[in-house]
Amino acid sequence: MNTTSSFRVIRQAAAGALAALVLAGCGTSMAATDPDRNSASPNALSGICAASTQRNGIVHCTEPFAGKKPIRLPSDPSRTQRYGAVKGGGSKFHTRGGDLPLSAAVARQLEADVENRRRAYANTIYLAVISQGAVTKIKPVADIEENAVLRAAFAGRAMEGAIGVRTRQGDYSLRETLPVRIEFAKSPVHGKLTGRITNATRAVRSAKGSCFAPLNRTRANPLAGVFTAKIAIERAFSMHAPFDDELLLEWSSDVSNMGSAYYPSIATLLGGDPLGRTWETMLHGTPSAGPPVDLRLVNGGGGTC
């Protein structure tokens, strides 16, 4: 081998070694800025809920954990890669380290999903890239099934509050009300959780110990026609506009009340998007044509009085 050839071999070997070093160093950097290079596998993410399946590299949570932490995020891969979910209203991204704003590009991406009637943000855990304090890229890594969301937030629980009375004209008052208690089933079905107004025909003990009289003992009984003791609740994402998320109180398949304060987002299940103090609901369409119902979650009560 002549001198020129020897130098060429040495230069090629040096260049290869340098490229290997650069790639090794950049590997960490790229993994920290590109969620598609995340090392977390679906098997590792399956621990975020009590039971799950896997499809196309995405964890599908079918059963939440019991208690106050129904969905449990794993540790974040790095400071610039964090797990989280979109909060109600669509303006913030909740992570273990707190809330972060969405970049304009990510906001446009989510709005495009809404316009195409894709509900990803309403059920998804994302791995997000963080740059200069904002979320600049998101990758879906887990899906929380609709039944699991409702089960975590409301299954087996009770709500109490006030229901508007029926007037002599046949419409409903927004001011005059009667006390009401609703108890929910333990298992949602097809994205709906059924419930029953327990003081529809009998007196029921409230969570605070008072006695709720039967609604049917008064001429102003609000339960008539489609407004029966049997109800259901269902989440409706982006009902009228992007991120206009409503929780529906359904009287029938065609008639429902709506109110946003009790809509549970995925961030709610992570402990970062608490429900409102009171769920104020009004009938769709013509509000006075059905009873307004204002409710709050309660513990205890329910016995006969």
Side-chain angles (χ1 to χ4, degrees), residues 158-181:
M159 292 185 189
E160 292 179 356
I163 185 170
V165 302
R166 186 159 43 93
T167 70
R168 292 180 179 179
Q169 291 73 35
D171 59 1
Y172 288 82
S173 172
L174 302 180
R175 295 183 178 179
E176 297 181 47
T177 63
L178 293 169
V180 66
R181 178 181 171 92

Side-chain angles (χ1 to χ4, degrees), residues 163 166 172 197 221-231 251 255-257 283 289-291:
I163 185 170
R166 186 159 43 93
Y172 288 82
I197 298 176
N221 179 15
L223 301 184
V226 297
F227 305 109
T228 70
K230 294 181 180 180
I231 60 95
W251 301 102
V255 181
S256 62
N257 286 30
L283 190 75

